[in-house]
Amino acid sequence: MGNKSYAQRDSEDFWKVEADDHEFWDTYVSTRPNYSPPFFEIIYRYHSAHSSSHEVAHDVGCGAGQVTAELALHYSHVVASDAEADHLTVAKRRLASTWDESRVSYTHAKAEDLAAHHAKASADLIAAAEVVVLMDRDSGLQSFAQILKPGGTLAVWFYGRPTFSDYALFTKAQPILDKIMALNWTKVIEGSGPRRAWGFKRCADAMESWLDYLPFSEDTWTDVQRYKWNTHGTLPFFGKEACGYEIEPTSNVNETERLVTNKDPKFWMNEWDIAALKQYFRVLFPGFREAVGKGDQEIDALFASLLAPVLALLPAVQPQHDNDQQEALALSNFEDPSLAHPQPAQSIRSTNHDVALSESGYWRGSSITNNTANAPRWSLYRAPTPAIVVSVASESDVAATYCNRNNISFLAQSQGNGWADTFRLGDCGLLINIAPLNKIKFNKEKTIASIGGGALVNDMIISAYQHGTRFANPTCTCLGFLGAMLGGGITRSMGLDGAGVDQILRVNLVTASGEWLRVDPDSHPDLWYAIRGAAPNFGIVTSAQVKAYPVPQSQNIAWQGAVTFTDDKLEAVIEAIFNLNLEPTMEIDFLIATGGPPLNKPMITVIPFFIGNASEGEKAFAPILDVGPISNEAKEVPYDHWGDFANSFCVKGERKPAYGASIGRQGLDPAAWRAIYNEFRAFVAAYPQAAGSSVLAEYYAVQKAVAIGDATSSYPFRDVPIHVVTIPVYSDSKLDAAANAFGSRVRDLLWSADGLNRNST
C-alpha cells in the first residue's frame, strides 16, 4: 500500500523526474525498445510515395528525444513537444550536440493543446509514440488535424509490456514477469490521487483495444492503416488485476481501413539479464520506492523466483517488447516490401551443388547468382569462392538472410578490398554483397550524412564536394567507406577530425541471429563501443550516420602530388620525414615502386599532402623538397581529386598477398629502409612479372585522434602514426611462396626497426 503522504498527491507526480538526474535518464534511454529501421520505413515510404514535402515533423510527447533524432534525419525541421518541462530539458541536452534549434525546436504543451502553439496546416508529419493513450482522444486528434497540412501524415504507435520471445520462457517465466508488472502497477494506482484515478481505466481500455478505439472520421482522415505485431502477447501494461476496473476495449475500425497483423518475435527485441530487467522496472516506475516505502518484499521475492526458470532454460533473459503501431495516414496505396507475400522459392545451381533459397521472397529486387562478376575482389589471392552471391536491394534483405540457422557459411562484402586470406566459405558459402546499399544523403547543414553500408569512398567524396562539404575519408577512393572506418579508420585528416571510428554517429546493424539493431551511444552502449574498431565480430552494418565538415568549394583544396628522388637520396628522405613537424593539416606517403617496363627500375617517391594552398604546403614540407627531387608534381587539387594519385592501387584482380605493419616514428630508420629497398629490388629483379609490386608507408598526424582517447571505442592504436603495406602483385600462383617470403621479410625489418620482435599490431 502507498504511504499516506504519497496517497495525498496526484498520480502525475509519480513520473516526475528531475532533468539533472542523469543516471535515471541514461538508464531510461538504454532500456527503451529500439525502433527498427523497417518500422520507420513503413512511415517514410507511405509519406514519400504521395507527398514531396518533408519540411516539418512533430514528435509529440518526445520524452528524451529518441524519435526526434530519427525524424531530424529526414525532415528539415522537427518540433519536439512534451507536457513535462523536464523532459524537454533532457531532450535538448541529448540532441544539442547534433541538432541546433534551427533544426529542432521545443514546445512545452500537451498534445491536446498543440494547435494553440503552431500554425494551421504547418506540419507534414506528426509522430505520437507511446503517448496517445495518455491524452484526451477527441481533442488530441482534433489538434493533430488542425496542424497537419492537407495530405499530411499522422503516425501513432504504442508498445506494451516485455514479453519473453523464447517459447519455453514465455510459458514458464512470463506469468511471473506479468505478476511483477501487475504488483508494481497496483502500488502505483493505489498510491495515486483521485484526480487522475479515472485516467488509468481510460489507458487500460485503450491499450486492450490495440489502439482500435481511435476513431478516424472519413471526413477528416483517408486511407487509415492499422498494423499490429505479436498479438499473442499482451499489449496493456496493466489490467483489472492492477487497477480494479473492468477493462472495456472498444473498436472504431471501419470497413475502409487496411488491417495488417504480423508475427515477428524479434521485433524491437532487447536482450537482458535479470539485472537489466530490474533496471527496466526501476525506470518504468521511478516513484515506486516513494509509493511503497523502503521496498516491497513480495516483488523482490518474485524477481528471485524468476531466476529459476530462466537459468533452467536460457543463459540470459530475452524479453521482447510486443508492439502495436497504429497509423492514421492521409495518403493512399501504401505497400511495404517487408510485409508483402513471399515470392516462390528459387534454386540456383553452383558448380558442385544446388542451393535452395527458400526465403528469397524477402529479397525483392535483389540479384541472386552464382557469378562473382558483380562482386569482384581487389586481390585474387585466397579470395573467397562463394557458391551464391546475393546482391541485396535493401537493408531488410540483409536481415532476411538465413545463413546461421541453416548452417551456411557467409561473408558480407562491400567493395571487396579486404586482403585477409581467412575468408573461408567452403563449397556451400554465400556472399552477401551490400555494395548496392550506396545511398548518400546530407542533412540541411551538410554536417551529417546518412549513408548505405556499401557507399563507395569516391562517390561520397564527389557528393560531398558538390554539396559544399567534405568527409574525413581514407586515401584510396575505391574502398567501402564503412568497412574502412569501422576497423579503426585511417583518414587523411586524422590530425584535424580524428580516426574513422570517430566519424560515426549511429549505425544500423544486423546481428548474427538476424536481429536488426539501431546502435548509438544511448542504445546498446557496450555494442557501440565494440563495433567501432571490431565491427565484423558483431554483425553487418547496413547503414550509418557519419560526420561531414562544411567547406566552400573554393576553399576545399589541398596541395599534394608525387615528388620523386633517385635511390641514393633514400636515407636523406627518411631522415627528413623523421624530423618533419607533422601538423594536423599534414600527411605524407613514402613509396617504393618501379618506374614500369621495360626497365622496371625501382623509384623513391614521396607524396606530401597539405590541407590548404600551395604556398602553405610548400612551406610545411620544405625539409622534404630541400633534399633535391628529380621531379616535383605537387600542386593544388580540389577535394574531389584528392585520391587520384592512388588510383593505381585500386585496380582489382591479380594476386596480392599484402603484408601490413603499423609502426612508430622510430620505425623511420634509414638503415632499415635501405634494407627494405634492397629486398624490393631483388624481388622484382627475380620476378619481372611482379614489377607492379610496391611498398607503401603512410605517415599521419594523429593529434585529434589521440585527444579523443582510447576509452571512446575499441580501436586501440590511435597514437600509432605510420602504417606500412607491402603489396606483391602478380598473376601466376606459382609465385605465391616467393611473394609471401618477400612480404614477411619486409615486415620483419619494420618490426625490428620499431623495437618489436613480434606482430604487436
Side-chain angles (χ1 to χ4, degrees):
M1 296 295 292
N3 60 36
K4 285 188 176 182
S5 63
Y6 189 84
Q8 301 304 312
R9 297 166 57 191
D10 193 37
S11 62
E12 292 167 327
D13 294 333
F14 185 87
W15 283 278
K16 286 187 181 294
V17 180
E18 299 295 332
D20 59 2
D21 188 345
H22 293 263
E23 180 183 0
F24 170 86
W25 287 109
D26 289 346
T27 305
Y28 173 87
V29 171
S30 68
T31 58
R32 297 305 90 187
N34 297 296
Y35 301 132
S36 60
F39 171 73
F40 280 112
E41 283 183 17
I42 293 174
I43 300 170
Y44 296 147
R45 288 184 184 181
Y46 184 107
H47 187 73
S48 296
H50 303 88
S51 174
S52 61
S53 181
H54 294 76
E55 292 299 312
V56 178
H58 279 246
D59 177 13
V60 180
C62 67
Q66 298 98 304
V67 174
T68 305
E70 166 65 32
L71 296 177
L73 296 169
H74 297 269
Y75 289 81
S76 300
H77 186 83
V78 180
V79 178
S81 64
D82 204 286
E84 292 290 341
D86 280 326
H87 293 185
L88 293 175
T89 300
V90 173
K92 288 179 183 179
R93 183 174 67 228
R94 294 185 63 248
L95 301 175
S97 62
T98 305
W99 310 106
D100 62 30
E101 295 206 9
S102 67
R103 292 299 311 285
V104 177
S105 60
Y106 303 87
T107 300
H108 182 202
K110 295 194 298 183
E112 300 92 323
D113 300 333
L114 283 175
H117 295 265
H118 295 280
K120 185 177 180 180
S122 60
D124 297 294
L125 169 74
I126 293 177
E130 207 72 1
V131 71
V132 67
V133 302
L134 303 175
M135 71 183 193
D136 180 81
R137 182 192 69 183
D138 295 336
S139 60
L141 290 177
Q142 183 180 7
S143 178
F144 295 160
Q146 291 179 32
I147 296 173
L148 279 171
K149 298 176 183 178
T153 299
L154 171 62
V156 178
W157 66 90
F158 192 87
Y159 61 82
R161 68 178 68 180
T163 303
F164 285 97
S165 59
D166 178 84
Y167 178 76
L169 277 173
F170 181 78
T171 57
K172 293 181 180 296
Q174 190 65 41
I176 302 174
L177 189 62
D178 288 344
K179 191 170 184 180
I180 293 173
M181 181 70 74
L183 282 170
N184 274 281
W185 277 107
T186 298
K187 302 299 183 183
V188 172
I189 295 170
E190 288 178 351
S192 298
R195 185 166 68 86
R196 283 289 301 275
W198 67 273
F200 286 107
K201 173 174 168 49
R202 183 186 67 185
C203 290
D205 291 347
M207 290 184 289
E208 185 65 33
S209 78
W210 287 73
L211 302 194
D212 287 346
Y213 81 105
L214 292 171
F216 295 108
S217 166
E218 293 182 55
D219 294 334
T220 304
W221 307 98
T222 63
D223 191 25
V224 177
Q225 308 202 6
R226 302 181 188 257
Y227 295 80
K228 298 179 177 70
W229 282 267
N230 301 320
T231 54
H232 64 281
T234 303
L235 186 70
F237 279 93
F238 61 87
K240 180 180 178 181
E241 75 283 0
C243 68
Y245 305 118
E246 290 294 335
I247 307 302
E248 300 172 304
T250 57
S251 175
N252 285 299
V253 178
N254 67 54
E255 61 184 11
T256 66
E257 297 177 2
R258 181 187 181 201
L259 307 178
V260 179
T261 301
N262 299 283
K263 185 175 182 179
D264 182 356
K266 294 180 179 178
F267 194 63
W268 295 0
M269 187 179 78
N270 288 344
E271 294 191 1
W272 289 336
D273 56 20
I274 293 293
L277 186 60
K278 286 184 176 181
Q279 287 282 72
Y280 167 81
F281 276 92
R282 185 176 72 82
V283 295
L284 184 62
F285 301 100
F288 175 75
R289 291 303 178 192
E290 184 179 357
V292 301
K294 294 183 178 179
D296 185 276
Q297 294 181 353
E298 187 175 4
I299 290 176
D300 291 341
L302 282 170
F303 268 117
S305 68
L306 182 64
L307 192 60
V310 171
L311 290 177
L313 295 167
L314 280 180
V317 187
Q318 294 185 336
Q320 147 214 328
H321 290 89
D322 281 343
N323 307 285
D324 172 65
Q325 183 265 317
Q326 208 58 22
E327 293 169 86
L329 304 171
L331 300 167
S332 61
N333 300 322
F334 171 80
E335 182 181 3
D336 183 80
S338 65
L339 304 179
H341 295 292
Q343 298 171 348
Q346 301 181 37
S347 180
I348 296 180
R349 176 169 291 280
S350 70
T351 54
N352 301 316
H353 58 282
D354 284 337
V355 176
L357 301 179
S358 60
E359 298 184 42
S360 61
Y362 294 101
W363 299 331
R364 298 181 68 188
S366 297
S367 166
I368 305 173
T369 180
N370 57 1
N371 189 332
T372 60
N374 291 333
R377 301 289 303 180
W378 176 73
S379 172
L380 300 181
Y381 176 75
R382 294 186 179 177
T385 54
I388 300 297
V389 177
V390 178
S391 297
V392 298
S394 68
E395 292 184 71
S396 56
D397 291 345
V398 179
T401 56
Y402 59 110
C403 298
N404 274 343
R405 64 180 182 271
N406 288 281
N407 199 31
I408 298 174
S409 298
F410 70 95
L411 170 69
Q413 173 178 310
S414 172
Q415 301 300 326
N417 290 294
W419 67 59
D421 59 7
T422 55
F423 299 135
R424 303 284 189 267
L425 289 178
D427 292 332
C428 302
L430 185 147
L431 190 146
I432 305 171
N433 178 27
I434 65 173
L437 304 182
N438 56 7
K439 69 173 184 179
I440 303 165
K441 182 179 180 181
F442 292 93
N443 66 351
K444 185 177 181 180
E445 292 77 14
K446 310 301 184 294
T447 56
I448 295 176
S450 298
I451 65 170
L456 184 69
V457 169
N458 189 60
D459 291 344
M460 291 182 63
I461 289 173
I462 292 172
S463 181
Y465 186 69
Q466 292 172 347
H467 284 83
T469 190
R470 67 169 176 82
F471 295 105
N473 52 262
T475 300
C476 290
T477 61
C478 57
L479 303 178
F481 183 85
L482 287 177
M485 297 294 97
L486 287 164
I490 307 304
T491 74
R492 301 190 83 181
S493 58
M494 281 181 70
L496 289 174
D497 307 320
V501 293
D502 304 323
Q503 311 309 310
I504 301 168
L505 300 171
R506 187 174 77 179
V507 306
N508 291 334
L509 176 103
V510 177
T511 68
S513 62
E515 183 181 6
W516 201 347
L517 301 178
R518 178 155 288 162
V519 184
D520 59 32
D522 294 322
S523 62
H524 309 287
D526 289 345
L527 188 57
W528 174 248
Y529 171 87
I531 62 172
R532 291 175 309 119
N537 298 304
F538 297 95
I540 301 172
V541 173
T542 56
S543 64
Q545 281 91 50
V546 300
K547 296 177 183 177
Y549 303 89
V551 183
Q553 281 194 2
S554 60
Q555 300 173 30
N556 205 354
I557 59 173
W559 175 81
Q560 69 168 28
V563 181
T564 305
F565 299 85
T566 54
D567 63 355
D568 63 303
K569 298 290 181 67
L570 184 149
E571 285 82 0
V573 170
I574 292 295
E575 279 194 31
I577 296 174
F578 179 87
N579 292 320
L580 200 62
N581 180 24
L582 210 62
E583 296 292 341
T585 51
M586 300 167 65
E587 186 263 337
I588 187 168
D589 296 340
F590 175 82
L591 176 68
I592 302 175
T594 73
L599 299 178
N600 292 328
K601 181 180 179 181
M603 306 285 289
I604 305 297
T605 302
V606 170
I607 303 99
F609 172 82
F610 182 87
I611 301 175
N613 60 41
S615 61
E616 293 171 325
E618 290 170 354
K619 181 178 179 180
F621 284 98
I624 305 296
L625 302 179
D626 289 345
V627 173
I630 57 174
S631 68
N632 180 359
E633 300 175 8
K635 60 183 180 181
E636 284 183 15
V637 293
Y639 174 63
D640 58 342
H641 288 279
W642 285 7
D644 287 359
F645 82 92
N647 287 343
S648 61
F649 289 96
C650 287
V651 177
K652 297 199 180 224
E654 295 199 277
R655 303 176 75 82
K656 305 180 183 104
Y659 279 71
S662 297
I663 59 177
R665 284 180 67 246
Q666 61 269 34
L668 293 172
D669 176 68
W673 279 95
R674 174 58 70 180
I676 291 169
Y677 176 84
N678 290 338
E679 287 285 353
F680 176 84
R681 185 174 59 182
F683 176 70
V684 296
Y687 305 100
Q689 60 270 53
S693 304
S694 61
V695 179
L696 173 66
E698 300 174 334
Y699 183 14
Y700 295 88
V702 294
Q703 291 92 328
K704 186 60 178 288
V706 171
I708 291 172
D710 289 341
T712 59
S713 71
S714 60
Y715 179 62
F717 303 118
R718 292 173 174 274
D719 60 339
V720 178
I722 303 172
H723 305 274
V724 187
V725 58
T726 302
I727 311 175
V729 181
Y730 54 95
S731 298
D732 190 348
S733 62
K734 293 178 182 178
L735 268 65
D736 283 349
N740 278 283
F742 162 60
S744 181
R745 287 194 299 271
V746 171
R747 189 170 61 181
D748 287 345
L749 287 166
L750 290 167
W751 288 345
S752 178
D754 201 42
L756 303 174
N757 55 18
R758 59 184 177 83
N759 184 359
S760 298
T761 58

